[in-house]
């Protein structure tokens, strides 16, 4: 039997293992063969972990409920699947290994006579994609590619901090997508070469462009002013020396803090460019609008800024205009609301900005400074200094200021530099909405009670547990000077959408934020098919970080994944209908790091974490499994009313059936293929591979009754 025959009855297999969520039609959008349509799809959330073992694991006990127009419904249970660990070899390459200019492992010699490679425990962004013309995997499935970030290395071999001093990396994995079940299996992995762009600096979140490339990030850019005064006050020197394997390298802070774009070729190699014209700041990620030219950003840190980039041409981010927002407040509660006014910083090409870097332009070449208020100088307070500075742009250096010091220059022009921990961004194309996570709404976002800051645009109520904001977009808008902005996706209004709740005192687990609401939102990803916003946490207020599903129509918030205590939920990517299957990629990094678990639970939780995650050295790359795609929802419904007696049907087709009363399993053998079915379980095993049945086998009058789809394809010639 060829596996391909399993799909003969439907566009996708009725038996297909429903790997990962994402593709549900809207009400009335699609119909099963009996005429029933999908009326609604909702997540049934899971309880928070309650025991030490649960708090140490990554798991889900959530499900998805699909309701049909004939009044019936079906629950699809979810599960978590690991692709690989960050310290695991895939095809001979350690996934999270740090590499130098020659793409060779960087050696950690912190323990005398015991050199080991630097390996990250912090996998972050994922982009799962299909490249046209990609080579076969050798396993018979659809060839996919997976780009994954490794944000940093928490500790060196000696147990000391290695954050920032070692170049970061990305991996490119070849993934086999089983054509019948959708299951994802890593086949090979290589490290992406960043030698042509001076290395990769702290890549946090990322996104997949509408044209199929990966946009990375470089956050927490080094302070070029501090570097010029004393290079040892930044990581730039150690980063450069490790990347170039040359102890005489000094590095250049202006070489980092941009958006890299990774293009995956059909042979699963990659090409990398950095987009210097998109500005230099603490890039959490960049997200492209449906027009393929407007880009939204997260700017992580304190006293940060909301930016907008409009490319000159669709699908080409090498030249464009950069804008920064001014917050014009309307309300203060629940994260507040504001009208947004956009200030044009300038226009540039990547080549123009790179020319400044290659010339060795320094902070002092761009700005004049004063240590006090003075005529011609503007007082600003921005990340990374966090101090009030008095600056004046030198004549002719406006473009350099706009793209090398985007935040400082924006503040001089009047843009708001008061956002705090601005993280993930997601796009809702149908409603023309943009979502942005503010992990901690506090500090610079509160009213300046002392009146000490140069500006105080944002004066919202403190919510340390954070807020996910919604921005409305429109075309035909003008910037502050009255010039037209060449985009139909310009955010005009911003308001809180989902927010956390701070607790007055820690609860029994150690949570300082309500465990049934979001806390410190970070990763965001939106499913157009499900009309659901997925929210991943990086919380110092929840003992466990969660992934949530928020339905933007019903406003229902459901917990769908719990990560190990002290771990951050990362790599969130909703993938709608990839070859008939849908996925939610979800990783975690640094398990057990800085746990806030209550003292009575902490020793047990830490013991489990050390056992499960190689003494906290392993982060996981994986996904939530179990959600059907649109086609699968309908295929399951089509099979719902068709059940048959197993033995009589199988033996009539020439198969043998063996019943094991002890395990309650039936084994069907035909033509060298084996199918194992278990009473009461909708999981079956086909030739050693787990698949999902439309319904669980059951006994009726001493006969094992199974869904027709469980045998139809198996018994075909």
């Amino acid at each position: 039997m060829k596996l391909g025959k399993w799909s003969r009855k439907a566009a996708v297999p009725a038996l297909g293992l429903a790997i990962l969520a994402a593709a549900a039609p809207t009400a009335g959008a699609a119909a099963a063969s009996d005429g029933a349509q999908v009326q609604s799809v909702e997540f049934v959330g899971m309880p928070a972990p309650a025991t030490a073992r649960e708090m140490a694991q990554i798991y889900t006990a959530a499900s998805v409920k699909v309701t049909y127009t004939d009044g019936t419904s079906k629950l699809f249970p979810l599960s978590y699947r690991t692709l690989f660990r960050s310290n695991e070899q895939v095809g001979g390459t350690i996934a999270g290994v740090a590499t130098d200019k020659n793409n060779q492992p960087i050696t950690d010699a912190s323990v005398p006579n015991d050199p080991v490679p630097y390996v990250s425990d912090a996998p972050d962004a994922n982009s799962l994609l299909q490249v046209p013309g990609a080579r076969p995997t050798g396993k018979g499935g659809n060839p996919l590619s997976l780009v994954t970030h490794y944000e940093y290395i928490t500790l060196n071999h000696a147990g000391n901090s290695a954050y920032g001093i070692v170049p970061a990396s990305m991996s490119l994995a070849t993934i086999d997508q089983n054509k019948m079940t959708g299951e994802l299996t890593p086949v090979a992995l290589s490290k992406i070469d960043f030698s042509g762009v001076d290395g990769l600096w702290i890549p946090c979140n990322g996104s997949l462009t509408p044209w199929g490339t990966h946009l990375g990030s470089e956050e927490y850019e080094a302070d070029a002013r501090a570097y010029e005064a004393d290079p040892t006050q930044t990581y730039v020197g150690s980063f450069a020396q490790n990347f170039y394997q040359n102890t005489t390298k000094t590095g250049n802070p202006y070489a980092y803090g941009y958006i890299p774009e990774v293009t995956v070729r059909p042979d699963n190699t990659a090409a990398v460019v950095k987009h210097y014209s998109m500005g230099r700041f603490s890039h959490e990620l960049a997200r492209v609008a449906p027009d393929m030219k407007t880009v939204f950003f997260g700017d992580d840190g304190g006293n940060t800024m909301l930016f907008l980039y409009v490319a000159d041409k669709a699908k080409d981010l090498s030249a464009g205009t950069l804008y920064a927002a001014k917050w014009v407040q309307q309300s203060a509660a629940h994260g507040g609301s504001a009208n947004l006014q956009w200030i044009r910083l300038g226009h540039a090409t990547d080549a123009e900005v790179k020319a400044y870097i290659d010339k060795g332009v320094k902070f002092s070449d761009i700005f004049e400074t004063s240590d006090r208020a003075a005529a011609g100088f503007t007082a600003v307070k921005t990340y990374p200094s966090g101090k009030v500075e008095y600056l004046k742009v030198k004549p002719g250096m406006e473009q350099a200021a706009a793209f090398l010091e985007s935040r400082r220059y924006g503040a001089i022009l009047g843009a708001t530099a008061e956002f705090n921990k601005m993280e993930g961004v997601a796009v809702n194309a149908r409603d023309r909405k943009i979502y942005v996570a503010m992990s901690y709404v506090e500090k610079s976002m509160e009213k300046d009670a002392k009146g000490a800051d140069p500006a105080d645009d944002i004066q919202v109520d403190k919510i340390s547990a954070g807020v996910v904001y919604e921005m409305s977009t429109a075309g035909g808008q003008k910037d502050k000077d009255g010039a037209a902005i060449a985009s139909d996706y310009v955010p005009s209004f911003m308001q809180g959408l989902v927010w956390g709740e701070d607790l007055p005192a820690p609860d029994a687990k150690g949570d300082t934020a309500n465990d049934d609401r979001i806390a410190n939102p970070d990763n965001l990803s939106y499913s157009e098919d499900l009309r659901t916003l997925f929210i991943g946490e990086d919380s110092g207020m929840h003992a466990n970080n969660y992934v949530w599903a928020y339905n933007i129509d019903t406003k229902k918030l459901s917990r769908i994944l719990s990560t190990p205590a002290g771990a951050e939920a990362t790599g969130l990517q909703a993938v709608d209908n990839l070859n008939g299957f849908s996925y939610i990629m979800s990783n975690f990094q640094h398990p057990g790091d800085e746990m806030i678990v209550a003292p009575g639970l902490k020793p047990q939780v830490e013991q489990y974490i050390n056992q499960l995650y190689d003494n906290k050295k392993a982060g996981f790359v994986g996904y939530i499994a179990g959600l059907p795609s649109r086609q699968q929802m309908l295929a399951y419904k089509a099979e719902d009313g068709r059940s048959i007696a197993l033995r009589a049907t199988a033996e009539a087709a020439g198969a043998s059936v063996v019943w094991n009363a002890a395990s309650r399993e039936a084994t069907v053998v035909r033509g060298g293929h084996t199918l194992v079915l278990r009473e009461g379980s909708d999981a079956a095993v086909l030739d050693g591979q787990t698949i999902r049945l439309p319904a669980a086998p059951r006994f009726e009058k001493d006969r094992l009754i199974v869904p027709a789809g469980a045998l139809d394809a198996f018994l075909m010639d």
Side-chain angles (χ1 to χ4, degrees):
M1 177 193 73
K2 293 182 180 179
L3 287 179
K5 290 189 177 181
W6 282 96
S7 58
R8 184 177 295 178
K9 286 186 62 60
V12 295
L15 283 177
L17 179 63
I19 303 286
L20 282 246
T26 55
S33 59
D34 62 0
Q37 299 174 330
V38 174
Q39 178 172 295
S40 65
V41 179
E42 65 175 302
F43 286 86
V44 179
M46 57 183 267
T51 67
R53 179 177 285 277
E54 287 177 343
M55 293 176 71
Q57 293 178 320
I58 182 166
Y59 74 99
T60 178
S63 59
V64 122
K65 181 181 180 181
V66 179
T67 301
Y68 299 91
T69 52
D70 63 1
T72 63
S73 62
K74 180 172 177 59
L75 279 177
F76 296 90
L78 307 181
S79 62
Y80 184 77
R81 302 295 176 93
T82 302
L83 287 172
F84 51 84
R85 300 179 177 218
S86 62
N87 61 348
E88 177 184 357
Q89 287 194 12
V90 180
T93 301
I94 301 173
V97 68
T99 53
D100 62 18
K101 182 179 183 295
N102 297 313
N103 223 24
Q104 296 300 306
I106 300 174
T107 299
D108 175 358
S110 60
V111 175
N113 302 316
D114 189 18
V116 296
Y118 279 108
V119 177
S120 174
D121 63 341
D124 207 293
N126 289 315
S127 279
L128 181 69
L129 66 150
Q130 185 166 31
V131 179
R135 292 177 178 175
T137 66
K139 294 179 68 68
N142 298 310
L144 305 180
S145 297
L146 178 68
V147 177
T148 303
H149 291 186
Y150 301 89
E151 186 177 2
Y152 54 82
I153 294 164
T154 302
L155 300 173
N156 65 14
H157 194 27
N160 300 315
S161 175
Y163 184 91
I165 67 172
V166 181
S169 70
M170 295 186 196
S171 67
L172 175 57
T174 301
I175 304 292
D176 180 86
Q177 181 194 41
N178 188 288
K179 293 180 179 179
M180 290 313 309
T181 67
E183 185 169 3
L184 304 178
T185 303
V187 174
L189 182 145
S190 60
K191 302 300 291 193
I192 296 176
D193 181 4
F194 280 83
S195 62
V197 292
D198 302 307
L200 178 64
W201 179 278
I202 311 179
C204 194
N205 208 338
S207 68
L208 187 66
T209 67
W211 55 92
T213 61
H214 171 79
L215 294 183
S217 58
E218 291 186 313
E219 73 171 1
Y220 301 144
E221 84 282 13
D223 187 343
R225 182 177 186 177
Y227 176 84
E228 188 174 345
D230 180 1
T232 65
Q233 297 304 304
T234 73
Y235 299 127
V236 173
S238 57
F239 177 99
Q241 290 169 17
N242 277 301
F243 183 67
Y244 290 100
Q245 293 292 287
N246 184 340
T247 58
T248 67
K249 280 284 185 180
T250 57
N252 181 349
Y254 286 137
Y256 309 104
Y258 304 100
I259 296 293
E261 183 173 13
V262 179
T263 300
V264 181
R265 305 183 183 101
D267 64 355
N268 221 35
T269 60
V272 179
V273 296
K274 279 187 184 177
H275 290 306
Y276 304 99
S277 66
M278 299 178 84
R280 179 177 175 268
F281 46 93
S282 183
H283 282 290
E284 170 76 14
L285 87 165
R287 186 81 68 175
V288 182
D291 66 355
M292 303 194 191
K293 58 183 280 190
T294 305
V295 186
F296 314 97
F297 305 94
D299 184 13
D300 197 354
N303 288 100
T304 58
M305 194 167 281
L306 183 64
F307 292 97
L308 176 72
Y309 179 82
V310 182
D312 293 349
K313 300 177 182 178
K315 303 184 184 181
D316 181 355
L317 304 178
S318 65
T321 304
L322 185 65
Y323 299 86
K326 184 173 181 65
W327 169 281
V328 183
Q329 185 156 311
Q330 303 298 303
S331 66
H334 307 312
S337 64
N339 294 322
L340 298 175
Q341 184 180 65
W342 291 96
I343 297 170
R344 184 183 187 274
L345 303 190
H347 177 278
T349 67
D350 287 347
E352 288 171 342
V353 181
K354 184 62 161 59
Y356 291 114
I357 301 168
D358 292 342
K359 289 177 184 176
V361 166
K362 303 185 297 296
F363 176 88
S364 61
D365 296 324
I366 301 172
F367 296 106
E368 292 182 44
T369 64
S370 173
D371 58 3
R372 62 181 61 86
F377 289 84
T378 303
V380 304
K381 183 178 180 181
T382 70
Y383 181 88
S385 80
K387 303 174 183 177
V388 176
E389 301 177 298
Y390 301 92
L391 303 177
K392 180 195 295 185
V393 179
K394 291 186 175 181
M397 297 303 291
E398 289 81 8
Q399 188 183 60
F403 294 93
L404 298 182
E405 292 284 355
S406 304
R407 210 180 296 104
R408 281 175 165 130
Y409 186 60
I412 289 173
L413 297 184
T416 299
E418 299 165 34
F419 295 97
N420 189 66
K421 294 295 291 178
M422 186 191 301
E423 305 276 0
V425 179
V427 175
N428 171 349
R430 174 178 164 184
D431 298 335
R432 304 175 65 87
K433 302 286 189 181
I434 311 301
Y435 308 108
V436 59
M438 216 71 62
S439 193
Y440 290 80
V441 175
E442 58 183 19
K443 299 178 181 177
S444 58
M445 296 186 71
E446 298 177 73
K447 181 178 176 59
D448 176 18
K450 297 180 179 179
D453 290 341
D456 194 21
D457 295 340
I458 305 178
Q459 302 181 18
V460 302
D461 298 341
K462 179 180 179 179
I463 306 177
S464 293
V467 175
V468 175
Y469 289 85
E470 176 186 84
M471 295 190 291
S472 303
T473 69
Q477 295 197 59
K478 296 180 179 181
D479 66 22
K480 184 181 178 182
D481 294 330
I485 302 175
S487 168
D488 291 330
Y489 289 88
V490 179
S492 58
F493 184 72
M494 183 172 179
Q495 64 181 346
L497 178 70
V498 190
W499 51 86
E501 179 186 351
D502 303 345
L503 297 179
D507 66 14
K509 291 195 304 181
D511 298 309
T512 58
N514 187 333
D515 211 22
D516 290 324
R517 301 182 69 166
I518 65 168
N520 313 122
D522 190 325
N523 282 199
L524 299 180
S525 191
Y526 183 74
S527 166
E528 294 284 347
D529 280 353
L530 282 177
R531 291 186 61 76
T532 295
L533 178 66
F534 297 99
I535 305 168
E537 296 181 340
D538 177 14
S539 179
M541 302 181 72
H542 277 169
N544 292 85
N545 282 312
Y546 306 123
V547 173
W548 301 87
Y550 177 77
N551 186 294
I552 62 165
D553 296 319
T554 67
K555 312 303 181 186
K556 180 181 178 182
L557 181 70
S558 306
R559 183 191 293 107
I560 63 170
L561 183 72
S562 178
T563 66
E568 176 184 346
T570 62
L572 190 62
Q573 182 199 11
V575 183
D576 287 344
N577 191 23
L578 183 56
N579 298 318
F581 300 95
S582 297
Y583 304 89
I584 303 171
M585 310 304 296
S586 188
N587 306 338
F588 72 80
Q589 61 178 227
H590 55 70
D593 186 41
E594 299 181 0
M595 290 192 294
I596 65 164
V597 178
L601 284 167
K602 187 173 181 179
Q604 293 173 280
V605 174
E606 191 155 31
Q607 181 180 3
Y608 284 130
I609 285 176
N610 285 332
Q611 292 171 355
L612 293 169
Y613 311 118
D614 302 336
N615 292 313
K616 305 177 184 175
K617 295 178 181 177
F620 277 30
V621 176
Y623 57 92
I624 305 166
L627 273 149
S629 67
R630 176 180 310 198
Q631 296 98 317
Q632 289 170 326
M633 289 180 190
L634 298 175
Y636 279 119
K637 178 59 181 172
E639 292 294 337
D640 230 12
R642 299 183 60 237
S643 298
I644 56 177
L646 172 64
R647 184 178 295 277
T649 305
E651 290 181 347
S656 64
V657 180
V658 176
W659 171 251
N660 186 322
S663 64
R664 311 299 291 175
E665 290 180 341
T667 301
V668 186
V669 179
R670 183 173 185 270
H673 298 280
T674 302
L675 178 66
V676 180
L677 307 163
R678 178 177 294 178
E679 179 194 7
S681 173
D682 65 356
V685 179
L686 170 63
D687 292 339
Q689 180 180 358
T690 301
I691 59 175
R692 188 74 63 189
L693 301 176
R698 66 188 187 278
F699 266 102
E700 289 183 4
K701 299 179 180 179
D702 295 325
R703 297 186 305 166
L704 187 65
I705 305 299
V706 300
L711 286 179
D712 282 347
F714 184 80
L715 299 177
M716 289 180 184
D717 292 330

